[in-house]
Amino acid sequence: MQWDERIGRRLRLRDLHTLQVISETGSMAKAAGRLAVSQPAISKAVANLEHTLGVPVLDRTPRGVEVTAYGRALLRHAAVVFDDLRQGIAEIQFLRDPTQGELRIGAPEPITQVLSVIINDALAATPNIRFQVMVGDTAVLFEALRERQLDVALTRIPERRTEDDLETEVLFQDPLVVAAGTHNSWARQRRVSLADLVDQPWVLPPADTVLGRFGAEIFRARGLEPPRASVVTPSLQLRLSLMSSGPHLSLLPKAMLRFSSVQPAIAAIRLELPETERPVGLVRVKGRSMSPVLGTFVEQARKATSRIGANATS
C-alpha cells in the first residue's frame, strides 16, 4: 500500500487521538471513560491503526496496556500533527476576529513578575486574548515546549545550551541579586561582600532547581561554602514573604526588582554578582510557525523588556 493511501484514506485523526488518550491513562477502559465512548469503540480504533500500519501499537499486559516502540514513534509525530492543526484553527479564528485568540505561555516563578507586565501590555492592545500560563523550572518548560503543551516560554537561558530543537530570542541580560526586606539593615549597607552574608538566615530554592544549583556555585566560586538555609522552599511567594517580614536573605533575578511597584517591600543588597548575568528571552520550538496571537505577544514582550534595559543603564 502506498504512503498516501495509508495516510489519506485509512489513518484517522480520531484513532490517533484515541491512542494518545490510552497512552496518557494506561488503560483502554479509562480511555473509554475519558472519551465517553464504549470500550469496543476504543478496541476498534486501535485495531484500525494496527491494520493500517501493519505493526502493533499496544502491548496487552496483566497490568493493562503499554504503548509499543511503534506506537511511541507514531505518537511523537502525532503530537506535531495535532499541534499544527490547532495552530491552523487558531489562525482561522484570528482571521475571523483579530481581537481574539489563545496563547499558552510558560515561565519560572521569579520571571512571572516580568511576564505579568508583558501580559498586561498585551491585554491593553488586544483585550480579548486568553492566556494559559504554566509556571515551572526551565527544564520542565523546555520539555513542555517539545511536547507542544506550550507555545512559548519566557525564561533565563542556560549558559551551556544543548537544545538544538529550540530557538531563542534574547530580550535582555539579567544578573542575580542578593535580596532582603527593605527594613533589613543589610539593605542599607553601602559596601557588602558575600562572605559577610554566609551566616545570615537564608531562604533558598531547592538544590535540584536551576536557581538552587546556580546559587551554590556563586558561593563556591568565591571559596565559600553555600549557606545552610534556614528555610528551603520552591515557593517564591513564601521566600518573598519571609524576606519582607523577617531577617531572611535570598537570591532573585534583578529584573523582578526593576519594576518598583512589583515588590516595594524587597530591595537588592549592594553586592555585585556579575558572573550571574544571563540572557532572559523567549524560547520556542524551532521551525514552528508563529501564530498571529503569538506575534502580538512577542511584540509586546520586546517593548516591555526594552524598559528593563533602559532602567539597567540609567
Side-chain angles (χ1 to χ4, degrees):
M1 183 181 294
Q2 295 298 314
W3 176 89
D4 58 342
E5 291 179 348
R6 288 190 181 187
I7 298 299
R9 298 183 184 182
R10 302 188 61 177
L11 192 60
R12 302 193 305 175
L13 291 178
R14 181 181 296 176
D15 295 342
L16 284 175
H17 179 56
T18 298
L19 183 62
Q20 282 185 323
V21 176
I22 294 172
S23 175
E24 292 167 3
T25 60
S27 163
M28 296 176 75
K30 290 178 181 177
R34 181 186 292 187
L35 295 172
V37 298
S38 67
Q39 192 162 338
I42 297 291
S43 298
K44 183 179 179 181
V46 173
N48 286 340
L49 284 173
E50 294 183 331
H51 178 69
T52 299
L53 299 172
V55 294
V57 296
L58 290 179
D59 281 333
R60 285 73 172 173
T61 73
R63 298 184 302 276
V65 293
E66 295 179 357
V67 180
T68 66
Y70 303 114
R72 290 194 297 273
L74 182 63
L75 286 177
R76 280 198 303 273
H77 295 281
V80 177
V81 170
F82 282 117
D83 182 58
D84 285 343
L85 285 172
R86 187 191 69 81
Q87 283 207 95
I89 292 170
E91 187 165 344
I92 290 170
Q93 292 172 337
F94 186 87
L95 291 171
R96 291 178 59 188
D97 184 355
T99 66
Q100 302 215 29
E102 181 178 287
L103 197 62
R104 301 168 301 170
I105 307 170
E109 196 173 8
I111 303 297
T112 57
Q113 305 288 348
V114 179
L115 180 59
S116 67
V117 176
I118 299 171
I119 288 177
N120 281 333
D121 288 353
L123 288 173
T126 49
N128 292 324
I129 290 179
R130 182 171 179 263
F131 292 94
Q132 291 189 30
V133 179
M134 173 189 289
V135 178
D137 196 46
T138 298
V140 173
L141 299 179
F142 283 0
E143 193 57 32
L145 284 168
R146 293 187 178 99
E147 294 178 359
R148 303 306 200 273
Q149 296 172 2
L150 293 175
D151 299 309
V152 65
L154 175 69
T155 185
R156 285 171 67 88
I157 299 169
E159 185 176 28
R160 294 181 293 276
R161 290 190 55 235
T162 58
E163 298 82 17
D164 293 336
D165 57 333
L166 303 178
E167 61 184 20
T168 62
E169 177 182 341
V170 175
L171 297 174
F172 61 96
Q173 300 288 333
D174 194 48
L176 296 179
V177 295
V178 178
T182 52
H183 65 279
N184 194 310
S185 61
W186 286 108
R188 298 188 293 273
Q189 297 288 332
R190 292 188 176 275
R191 181 176 295 180
V192 182
S193 73
L194 202 58
D196 297 329
L197 305 176
V198 171
D199 294 327
Q200 297 301 307
W202 286 80
V203 52
L204 293 172
D208 61 352
T209 63
V210 171
L211 187 56
R213 291 191 296 270
F214 199 17
E217 291 172 8
I218 294 168
F219 287 89
R220 293 192 178 105
R222 290 167 169 76
L224 303 169
E225 280 299 311
R228 186 176 183 277
S230 54
V231 180
V232 176
T233 176
S235 169
L236 175 63
Q237 191 55 51
L238 179 56
R239 297 202 297 271
L240 294 173
S241 180
L242 287 168
M243 283 188 282
S244 62
S245 62
H248 289 84
L249 310 178
S250 194
L251 289 166
L252 297 175
K254 189 175 183 179
M256 279 188 61
L257 307 180
R258 285 176 174 163
F259 297 99
S260 59
S261 61
V262 173
Q263 294 298 336
I266 306 296
I269 293 175
R270 291 180 177 87
L271 167 64
E272 296 295 325
L273 301 172
E275 77 278 15
T276 68
E277 186 170 88
R278 293 290 184 274
V280 175
L282 301 172
V283 184
R284 303 192 305 121
V285 173
K286 186 176 292 185
R288 188 172 185 261
S289 61
M290 184 181 296
S291 69
V293 176
L294 179 55
T296 297
F297 174 80
V298 169
E299 180 182 354
Q300 296 301 327
R302 291 167 181 162
K303 290 179 180 178
T305 54
S306 68
R307 301 200 298 270
I308 295 178
N311 290 342
T313 56
S314 61

